Amino acid sequence: MMERPFAITLDVGSSRANKTGSWRTERPVYVHRLPPCSSACPAGEDVQQWLYDAEEGDGGYERAWRRIMDDNPFPAVMGRVCYHPCETKCNRGQLDEAVGINSVERFLGDEGIARGWRVEALVPPSGKRVLVVGAGPSGLSAAYHLARLGHAVTVYDAGPRQGGMMRFGIPKYRLPRDVLDAEIERILDLGVELELDRQVASVLDDMVAGGFDAVFLAVGAHLGKRAYIPAGSAAKVLDAVSLLRSMEGEEPPQLGRRVVVYGGGNTAIDAARTAKRLGAEEAIIVYRRTRERMPAHDFEVEEALEEGVLMKWLSTITHVDGGKLVVEQMELDETGFPQPTGQLEELEADSLVLALGQETDLSFVDGVPGLEIEDGVVSVDETMMTGYPGIFAGGDMVPAERTVTVAVGHGKQAARHIDAWLRSAELTPSVERQSADFGHLNTWYYTEAPRSLRPQLEAARRQSTFEEVVGGLDESTALYEARRCLSCGNCFSCDNCYGVCPDNAVIKLGGRDEPYAFDYDYCKGCGICAAECPCGAIEMVPEEI
Amino acid sequence: MSAEKLKLYQVGTFAVGNRLLDPEQRTVQARMERSNTLTSGHRACRGCGEALGARYALDAAMRATDGRLIAANATGCLEVFSTPYPESSWQLPWLHSLFGNAPAIASGIAAALKVKGRNDVRVIGQGGDGGTLDIGFACLSGMFERNDDVLYVCYDNEAYMNTGVQRSSATPPAARTANTKPLGDEPGNVFGQGKSAPLIAMAHEIPYVATATVADLHDLEDKIERAMEFHGARYVHILVPCPLGWGSEASETIKIARLAQETGLFPVFEAEAGEVVAVSPIRQRVSVEEYLRTQRRFAHLFGDPPRADVIAQLQSRADRNIRRFGLLAEEAA
Amino acid sequence: MRSQLEGSLAVAKAVALCRPEVISAYPISPQTHIVEALSDLVRTGELAPCEYLMVESEFGAMSAAIGASAAGARAYTATASQGLLYMAEALYNASGLGLPIVMTVANRAIGAPINIWNDHSDAMSQRDCGWIQLYAESNQHAVDLHVQAFRLAEELSLPVMVCMDGFVLTHAIEPVELPTQEQVDAFLPPFDPRQVLDPDDPVTIGAMVGPEAFAEVKYLMHAKQMQALDLIPDISGSFSQAFGRTSSGLVRTYRSADADTIVVALGSVLGTIEEVVDELRGEGERVGAVGITCFRPYPLEEIRAALRGARRVIVLEKAFAVGLGGIVGQNVRLALSGHAVSVYDTVAGLGGRPITRRTLRTLIADVLEERLEPDRLAFLDLDWKLVERELQRVSADPRSGPHAENILRDIGSVAASAHGGAR
């Protein structure tokens, strides 16, 4: 050990005796902001969290899948039918293009099925019994969560097969039945009892008879609305809902060579595309407003057009008869409302399919004290409970946007509230998180990485078969797509903070939950870490002086 | 069925590291076992670019030399804030002699190592722009000419910061310093020819010359690593913003260094034996105004009256750099 | 081995025998032959292993030596005059850091006006920088002092400058006994640094020290230098045993034990002084000489002892403190405080003006015959007429005040004498 002449020569690292943390007026803290994808998901998935797992590849896929399953038992279905509001809100959309969250979810869902991943109940049996009315997305989701929470669940469905609108409303070419069956089977494997062809005439009676401690109603809106259109005796008019339902039967319905579908929603598109596959030479959608005003999602319109479906905008049907119908041209007034012009036109049509909305048969809740109905749907409070204690409802039969994802979300919410209600406990509210806005990001660090496109079936095959039109991503592409996620507001271990601190005051711990910690003994509060965090997971807060 | 080909990770090329990246592809700074050659407890200002640049350069050099490195430091901010008796932040053998002789003492150390047959130990000389470009210039040139086996790193914060922000030959035109205040007809520093240390180093035809900033860590580390592959005189010039002297936010040090590069005001390139061999192209070009607005040392250009003429002159310097070095990708090809 | 060779070459060979590992070289008259000779020795491999750095200035030379020494190499350089001043900052740095660098200073006058010939103004200007200062009287003495200097420097961890009169010694061809490599190796062990830059045991050298500790550091440096007063005689004694000849360490006396009048000087002029002493002794005068070899640290006790008994002390020096007076003279007076003795400060040989036996005899005669007053600065051989003419010329200047008038009065009053006196 060499001599150190007084004061001239110093030991290495002796500066650590100087705790420069005392200089600070503000300190950095790691935060977990709520990214817009997670915030937007109607099923309440923490999208960013499962993308974090998925992007690790290998074992990460199953971890990601399990995270999704904590909130949503239908990832493979979602990956095909969800309208992905997460992608609409995705912050990456402001950079280049939104992350293909939906395609990654589909990949994970398909992996789950292919590899036979299972889920278990989270707690021992509670001894409570819950009745779920309707084996559609909402009912099955509720059943799944309730079963995981230890309750004995029985599902009644009036129809011959389980699945609700997933089977009877969404065509095969959008949601192959084997995928649907596999995901429903997984729910039933948790011990959920299913009774098909079991109509509920009076919910209160069935509740008592079955000894159920609570009920979740999820019968959906399974009746097509009928509008009054003057019709001749030879007119062949049917509603889209019935048409699509009948596709699950043995005999495909006969629609003729020219089919007109009246309406502008997704059901209208499904009906038209189905008609084409059934052999119609022409399938024409007649809609009273314009394409921009169509409630149908634009990509569905695109796919329909690619398949040769024709669109007739700004038109209403005034008369229908055998072989033809009369269409009146409309024009939009200043408020965007269509007004008749008086100009009429004849259109050849062998059948007319009405896709003008759906409604519910609510007779089975007649006389339930306290239960209120308004505008054809059942009112529920913030716990998804109706006016009758212990009877909850969700899905298309309560006021909501009518999508599978919303329905699934209702099922989860209701299940959690039912669970709390059964235990006479309060549901612990989730921690409020600040939103992760685009402005919190430092986008410099993200590379140019254009979004992946999903493969599509060639046009010829689309028109003649019910094979799935939109394919999935292969593994490497799904992985790439998951890695496009900016991880808004949540650390993904990029090491930036660890690297950019001039005072070496960030400690790298490794690990997922707390990958780094600030060394407040030395942190001077300069804020470079917060400024250079790509995803905005660091916030500067005033120091308590 | 068609699908897109796999491309880059979302973060990794530009960030310090990433858990998804192969450790070898991460920077030295991302690793838990990095040397922390300049450790905590030093007295640099909050957000000091030089403290950051020094750790970056030395950790990279320590890695490249397997920890067998000796540093010679000039007088200046780095030396003063890192070694106030009784505290030293250095974790490697380190010598400070005078303001103007860092290159010369480095030469002496290199000669001693050579004569003792210690060819495993390498030498780094370091100093600020004042110590390198002005008072130490003769020694620097001598070291270059003799091709002594020294990597010299200049941390350029564009003024004599440690003595209170006085002008050096590296101070950019129009900048305010303590002795180039915005008074009179020519506010701020004069519009001279500048003094490009990297170009002068190249004129000495030494094996390796490079410029870098603290905003691009991968690039900086690559250059230090590359420099260590050579023997002989090497020079790396790193732009390190100074929040105090430049009048900028402490949190914006890296952002400002990035803007310096993206405007073209600070060209980032590499040269070997006197010829430019590589250029780091501008990724998202910005006007000099965006850069100038971040620093109060240029505030007088936006004052009353605003000096659009001066800003235009600065812009044309940036434009010239872009042309001269081919800093925009389509020109760099 | 005894040979006739030029002083510079002798010193170069002596330095080479000491196995320096790093030599930094910048040329300046009259040191050039030293660094040239060392270059040859390195090139032929006679001096190996050794790195010979041709640096860009004297500042670079001392800086490179600092770096090399701190990294554990035995470091050497040489300079003179302007070069010594150019490295002044580095001199203080080397002594402050305690680095055992050895340097030859081929004493030469400092400009302006530029002058390449010998006097002591260069080394004297740096007497307080913390370096040990040794003054060689002859080329043999220079050779011997260099060998001792390395050992002294490394034992104390302080830098040492060996001063030898430029041209007078450096370019004089004299018989010199050079030691063998074996002898030097036995006398001078390999350099074992007190502190060193080493990745295996890293330290920070050269910290900034504030008011709370700076004074202590400086005192410790002073204390360390004072240790040389004990160490030099030790080393000098070891040298005698090893090499078979005495080599003055601190102070050398010549016929001074019973002398009434003693001449004190540094450097090569002592040779001439000794001849004059012999002549005067032959004439019955009790005259002697004292040579100061080690000027820093200042051997106060040794000088006091050497001058005890003298009634008159003549200090002959080749530099002076402008605006004040003699430098060596003041230092000698320190050693004589309390003694009843007259001290005569005489400045001679500035800018290379020769000091002859005749002028020395005249000086001593003037002292003995009381034509020269003590305590007044005298200038040997000054052209008083020229000086008077010049001063008269500028006396019309209304800015001249009492001091200027005094100078004029002094000149007027002793204009007839060969020596002037000035306060």
Side-chain angles (χ1 to χ4, degrees):
Chain A
M1 179 73 158
M2 77 178 86
E3 188 193 323
R4 281 135 166 78
F6 173 69
I8 300 206
T9 301
L10 304 176
D11 282 325
V12 295
S14 41
S15 64
R16 288 185 66 86
N18 182 24
K19 309 283 190 193
T20 53
S22 56
W23 300 17
R24 275 198 308 276
T25 53
E26 52 179 14
R27 66 162 57 190
V29 291
Y30 290 111
V31 293
H32 293 276
R33 294 199 164 113
L34 185 65
C37 51
S38 306
S39 171
C41 177
E45 292 176 24
D46 198 340
V47 175
Q48 178 270 331
Q49 286 290 303
W50 60 254
L51 283 174
Y52 179 101
D53 283 318
E55 70 186 7
E56 288 175 353
D58 299 328
Y61 299 135
E62 187 173 345
R63 287 195 297 278
W65 182 85
R66 286 186 185 282
R67 256 185 220 276
I68 297 173
M69 293 294 286
D70 281 346
D71 293 302
N72 186 335
F74 291 113
V77 171
M78 293 294 115
R80 289 163 167 81
V81 310
C82 179
Y83 292 116
H84 44 75
C86 51
E87 291 188 17
T88 310
K89 292 286 189 196
C90 173
N91 276 333
R92 185 138 196 160
Q94 295 184 58
L95 189 64
D96 45 25
E97 295 154 299
V99 175
I101 300 167
N102 189 253
S103 0
V104 179
E105 185 166 22
R106 173 181 164 152
F107 167 78
L108 294 171
D110 288 349
E111 278 291 293
I113 295 170
R115 294 184 190 277
W117 292 335
R118 306 273 95 197
V119 284
E120 311 285 316
L122 297 167
V123 295
S126 66
K128 301 286 186 185
R129 292 171 51 77
V130 181
L131 169 64
V132 173
V133 184
S138 196
L140 288 171
S141 166
Y144 164 78
H145 287 289
L146 287 164
R148 290 244 287 174
L149 291 167
H151 306 298
V153 183
T154 304
V155 181
Y156 293 162
D157 194 289
R161 305 285 311 280
Q162 64 274 33
M165 276 304 177
M166 295 190 288
R167 185 184 305 277
F168 295 104
I170 298 176
K172 287 193 184 70
Y173 58 81
R174 282 180 59 208
L175 177 55
R177 299 311 183 226
D178 55 337
V179 172
L180 177 62
D181 289 336
E183 297 215 306
I184 298 179
E185 206 50 45
R186 207 163 50 209
I187 297 175
L188 301 178
D189 282 349
L190 283 169
V192 170
E193 293 206 6
L194 174 64
E195 280 191 41
L196 296 167
D197 296 309
R198 174 65 165 91
Q199 178 108 25
V200 171
S202 157
V203 64
L204 281 179
D205 291 342
D206 277 334
M207 186 173 173
V208 171
F212 294 110
D213 302 296
V215 180
F216 180 62
L217 306 175
V219 302
H222 46 277
L223 305 174
K225 279 189 185 156
R226 308 282 304 205
Y228 176 68
I229 298 175
S233 52
K236 183 169 174 150
V237 181
L238 53 158
D239 75 87
V241 175
S242 312
L243 165 64
L244 293 170
R245 182 161 46 235
S246 70
M247 291 304 299
E248 296 304 306
E250 299 296 321
E251 284 288 315
Q254 300 295 319
L255 293 175
R257 288 183 316 121
R258 291 186 135 82
V259 179
V260 168
V261 177
Y262 193 28
N266 295 304
T267 314
I269 307 284
D270 285 340
R273 293 171 76 184
T274 300
K276 278 235 98 172
R277 281 163 171 79
L278 290 175
E281 271 172 32
E282 258 182 29
I284 307 164
I285 293 178
V286 170
Y287 177 58
R288 64 199 177 109
R289 295 201 282 186
T290 55
R291 178 171 174 175
E292 301 81 57
R293 307 289 189 150
M294 277 184 108
H297 286 87
D298 201 71
F299 71 88
E300 300 223 34
V301 176
E302 227 10 80
E303 285 174 17
L305 290 170
E306 283 168 14
E307 288 168 9
V309 169
L310 302 170
M311 309 275 177
K312 202 156 173 56
W313 314 111
L314 291 168
S315 306
T316 57
I317 300 178
T318 54
H319 191 267
V320 56
D321 209 339
K324 63 176 178 6
L325 41 86
V326 178
V327 161
E328 178 170 9
Q329 253 191 293
M330 310 293 277
E331 66 186 2
L332 295 179
D333 64 17
E334 318 80 54
T335 62
F337 203 77
Q339 299 293 348
T341 60
Q343 280 182 280
L344 302 178
E345 194 186 324
E346 250 190 27
L347 210 58
E348 279 186 37
D350 296 316
S351 54
L352 171 64
V353 177
L354 301 176
L356 302 171
Q358 290 148 236
E359 50 196 12
T360 313
D361 175 3
L362 291 170
S363 53
F364 73 111
V365 295
D366 265 351
V368 172
L371 193 147
E372 280 171 24
I373 297 169
E374 202 177 314
D375 288 335
V377 287
V378 175
S379 307
V380 291
D381 64 17
E382 69 280 355
T383 69
M384 307 301 292
M385 196 160 76
T386 64
Y388 186 91
I391 296 185
F392 297 75
D396 285 356
M397 68 178 286
V398 303
E401 192 189 340
R402 286 179 168 176
T403 66
V404 170
T405 322
V406 169
V408 165
H410 283 180
K412 176 181 95 172
Q413 273 188 68
R416 291 189 180 165
H417 287 293
I418 293 172
D419 175 72
W421 189 82
L422 288 172
R423 292 183 290 105
S424 306
E426 287 282 322
L427 192 60
T428 42
S430 51
V431 178
E432 175 116 8
R433 290 156 74 185
Q434 283 188 309
S435 63
D437 302 327
F438 188 75
H440 290 128
L441 304 174
N442 187 334
T443 59
W444 174 265
Y445 291 98
Y446 297 104
T447 42
E448 284 74 37
R451 178 193 168 102
S452 316
L453 300 172
R454 282 192 256 200
Q456 290 205 324
L457 203 53
E458 299 88 29
R461 292 179 64 189
R462 280 156 76 165
Q463 289 177 21
S464 55
T465 70
F466 279 84
E467 269 186 65
E468 195 174 6
V469 170
V470 178
L473 299 176
D474 62 23
E475 188 202 331
S476 60
T477 315
L479 184 61
Y480 161 78
E481 196 57 42
R483 287 172 169 178
R484 291 180 68 244
C485 170
L486 308 178
S487 194
C488 305
N490 287 272
C491 176
F492 61 104
S493 299
C494 76
D495 295 325
N496 255 18
C497 56
Y498 178 56
V500 301
C501 176
D503 294 279
N504 195 23
V506 177
I507 304 166
K508 183 167 177 176
L509 303 168
R512 189 202 203 276
D513 291 317
E514 300 246 9
Y516 310 97
F518 291 110
D519 190 347
Y520 292 116
D521 279 346
Y522 299 106
C523 166
K524 293 172 182 164
C526 69
I528 293 181
C529 53
E532 300 300 315
C533 174
C535 66
I538 299 175
E539 203 181 307
M540 299 302 291
V541 298
E543 192 64 66
E544 292 136 39
I545 298 170
Chain B
M1 298 198 188
S2 60
E4 287 276 313
K5 283 210 299 287
L6 180 67
K7 283 198 187 148
L8 301 165
Y9 298 119
Q10 82 281 34
V11 169
T13 312
F14 300 107
V16 168
N18 190 300
R19 74 190 196 286
L20 302 176
L21 273 182
D22 193 348
E24 284 310 304
Q25 286 181 279
R26 302 182 206 178
T27 61
V28 171
Q29 287 303 306
R31 300 168 208 193
M32 284 161 88
E33 65 278 9
R34 75 186 191 208
S35 306
N36 287 321
T37 324
L38 180 71
T39 189
S40 318
H42 60 68
R43 304 191 185 184
C45 300
R46 294 163 63 237
C48 172
E50 187 162 357
L52 199 54
R55 193 184 73 234
Y56 283 174
L58 285 163
D59 280 2
M62 286 288 268
R63 172 127 200 290
T65 59
D66 215 19
R68 317 205 60 67
L69 187 68
I70 295 178
N73 216 125
T75 308
C77 266
L78 182 60
E79 167 262 323
V80 169
F81 73 61
S82 64
T83 57
Y85 166 81
E87 296 153 16
S88 167
S89 313
W90 298 105
Q91 309 228 73
L92 85 170
W94 182 94
L95 174 67
H96 159 242
S97 172
L98 298 165
F99 194 7
N101 71 0
I105 60 174
S107 293
I109 296 170
L113 292 169
K114 185 171 174 193
V115 79
K116 289 183 178 295
R118 297 294 306 272
N119 48 21
D120 58 320
V121 183
R122 310 294 300 278
V123 182
I124 232 182
Q126 50 183 18
D129 51 289
T132 306
L133 284 169
D134 293 341
I135 195 171
F137 205 55
C139 290
L140 186 70
S141 177
M143 183 270 276
F144 286 164
E145 185 274 323
R146 289 188 301 271
N147 204 28
D148 292 332
D149 190 10
V150 171
L151 165 60
Y152 193 91
V153 179
C154 173
Y155 303 105
D156 185 3
N157 53 24
E158 302 186 335
Y160 288 95
M161 293 308 185
N162 192 234
T163 45
V165 194
Q166 292 84 19
R167 181 243 191 225
S168 79
S169 63
T171 303
R176 174 200 184 115
T177 65
N179 52 1
T180 60
K181 294 214 178 84
L183 301 168
D185 296 327
E186 304 293 328
N189 191 28
V190 294
F191 268 83
Q193 315 85 262
K195 190 178 195 184
S196 169
L199 290 178
I200 293 169
M202 282 164 63
H204 284 72
E205 312 251 325
I206 56 178
Y208 184 78
V209 174
T211 67
T213 77
V214 289
D216 192 341
L217 177 61
H218 285 263
D219 178 70
L220 194 161
E221 290 191 355
D222 285 348
K223 284 167 175 169
I224 299 288
E225 213 172 304
R226 178 89 181 113
M228 281 311 190
E229 287 171 16
F230 292 93
H231 283 263
R234 296 145 285 141
Y235 181 76
V236 175
H237 189 109
I238 305 179
L239 182 70
V240 294
C242 167
L244 189 71
W246 295 19
S248 57
E249 287 295 319
S251 60
E252 293 194 340
T253 297
I254 291 182
K255 170 184 162 186
I256 289 172
R258 185 177 297 136
L259 287 172
Q261 177 177 0
E262 296 295 289
T263 54
L265 283 171
F266 187 82
V268 178
F269 61 92
E270 266 178 300
E272 290 175 21
E275 307 204 8
V276 175
V277 295
V279 156
S280 295
I282 290 172
R283 207 176 142 201
Q284 291 166 20
R285 185 175 181 183
V286 293
S287 71
V288 298
E289 194 169 318
E290 204 175 309
Y291 169 73
L292 300 173
R293 280 192 186 278
T294 58
Q295 302 151 62
R296 285 196 304 283
R297 65 177 176 158
F298 293 112
H300 54 280
L301 300 178
F302 303 99
D304 181 22
R307 294 300 300 262
D309 57 325
V310 174
I311 296 173
Q313 277 183 284
L314 292 170
Q315 183 64 62
S316 65
R317 286 193 176 218
D319 295 342
R320 180 179 181 225
N321 281 343
I322 290 174
R323 240 184 0 258
R324 186 177 188 183
F325 290 94
L327 298 176
L328 288 173
E330 56 271 17
E331 295 165 31
Chain C
M1 190 192 95
R2 197 169 174 81
S3 42
Q4 290 261 102
L5 68 170
E6 191 189 84
S8 304
L9 184 53
V11 165
K13 282 179 184 273
V15 168
L17 287 168
C18 295
R19 303 190 186 273
E21 293 169 288
V22 175
I23 295 174
S24 50
Y26 191 83
I28 181 168
S29 303
Q31 143 271 42
T32 49
H33 290 182
I34 301 177
V35 291
E36 288 164 13
L38 282 168
S39 166
D40 293 348
L41 291 169
V42 171
R43 280 171 174 268
T44 57
E46 210 173 309
L47 170 52
C50 180
E51 282 298 303
Y52 185 89
L53 284 176
M54 285 166 282
V55 288
E56 63 285 344
S57 73
E58 287 91 351
F59 177 69
M62 183 48 61
S63 299
I66 286 170
S69 186
R74 181 169 284 160
Y76 169 83
T77 190
T79 193
S81 178
Q82 315 298 134
L84 186 68
L85 291 188
Y86 195 28
M87 61 161 75
E89 198 191 1
L91 291 178
Y92 279 79
N93 191 255
S95 62
L97 293 178
L99 295 170
I101 299 166
V102 171
M103 173 166 67
T104 309
V105 178
N107 296 117
R108 164 182 147 179
I110 290 182
I114 181 167
N115 172 301
I116 63 166
W117 293 275
N118 163 252
D119 72 24
H120 288 168
S121 51
D122 56 4
M124 283 298 159
S125 76
Q126 299 307 310
R127 65 189 182 275
D128 296 330
C129 73
W131 282 56
I132 292 174
Q133 278 196 348
L134 306 173
Y135 286 80
E137 296 178 23
S138 64
N139 285 336
Q140 180 68 63
H141 196 200
V143 162
D144 296 344
L145 280 178
H146 278 92
V147 174
Q148 292 173 72
F150 280 100
R151 183 158 145 180
L152 173 65
E154 289 170 16
E155 280 191 28
L156 270 185
S157 278
L158 266 186
V160 177
M161 67 173 79
V162 180
C163 301
M164 60 191 295
D165 289 318
F167 288 118
V168 176
L169 289 182
T170 55
H171 287 62
I173 298 181
E174 290 179 6
V176 168
E177 178 81 38
L178 281 170
T180 64
Q181 184 67 71
E182 291 71 36
Q183 284 176 305
V184 175
D185 286 344
F187 181 78
L188 178 66
F191 176 31
D192 181 16
R194 174 185 65 160
Q195 55 167 347
V196 69
L197 297 167
D198 179 1
D200 292 325
D201 186 4
V203 283
T204 295
I205 301 177
M208 180 169 85
V209 177
E212 69 282 350
F214 188 82
E216 282 70 23
V217 174
K218 281 298 180 187
Y219 183 83
L220 287 167
M221 198 169 104
H222 168 72
K224 185 158 66 155
Q225 205 192 76
M226 297 300 276
Q227 286 173 40
L229 294 174
D230 292 317
L231 195 52
I232 287 172
D234 264 352
I235 291 176
S236 177
S238 303
F239 184 89
S240 295
Q241 287 190 316
F243 294 85
R245 59 177 173 278
T246 52
S247 177
S248 153
L250 294 174
V251 162
R252 192 173 70 77
T253 59
Y254 186 75
R255 306 183 81 166
S256 63
D258 64 337
D260 275 339
T261 306
I262 299 182
V263 181
V264 181
L266 281 66
S268 62
V269 72
L270 281 162
T272 316
I273 292 172
E274 283 163 24
E275 287 178 25
V276 171
V277 163
D278 284 342
E279 280 178 22
L280 290 172
R281 278 276 180 177
E283 292 158 24
E285 295 294 345
R286 296 223 303 256
V287 183
V290 167
I292 304 178
T293 301
C294 176
F295 190 62
R296 286 291 182 268
Y298 185 65
L300 189 111
E301 292 307 322
E302 287 76 5
I303 290 172
R304 192 202 304 277
L307 296 177
R308 180 180 48 234
R311 288 197 291 123
R312 289 175 284 266
V313 171
I314 304 171
V315 179
L316 190 77
E317 53 185 305
K318 287 182 172 176
F320 73 108
V322 174
L324 177 55
I327 297 171
V328 179
Q330 287 168 47
N331 283 231
V332 167
R333 282 169 199 280
L334 263 180
L336 297 173
S337 65
H339 286 213
V341 57
S342 300
V343 181
Y344 301 81
D345 295 308
T346 306
V347 177
L350 294 181
R353 179 165 299 177
I355 302 170
T356 62
R357 288 183 311 204
R358 189 175 62 77
T359 54
L360 280 175
R361 282 188 67 112
T362 310
L363 169 63
I364 294 171
D366 281 346
V367 167
L368 292 178
E369 288 153 32
E370 294 177 1
R371 280 190 292 278
L372 206 57
E373 286 175 45
D375 302 335
R376 298 193 68 167
L377 186 65
F379 284 82
L380 191 67
D381 256 353
L382 196 73
D383 184 342
W384 288 105
K385 286 200 167 48
L386 189 153
V387 163
E388 183 187 335
R389 270 200 311 273
E390 273 305 297
L391 287 174
Q392 296 279 21
R393 196 171 63 74
V394 302
S395 70
D397 187 337
R399 281 173 296 175
S400 59
H403 289 289
E405 283 166 23
N406 284 342
I407 290 172
L408 280 177
R409 209 180 306 118
D410 286 345
I411 291 170
S413 69
V414 296
S417 137
H419 317 286
R423 200 168 296 281

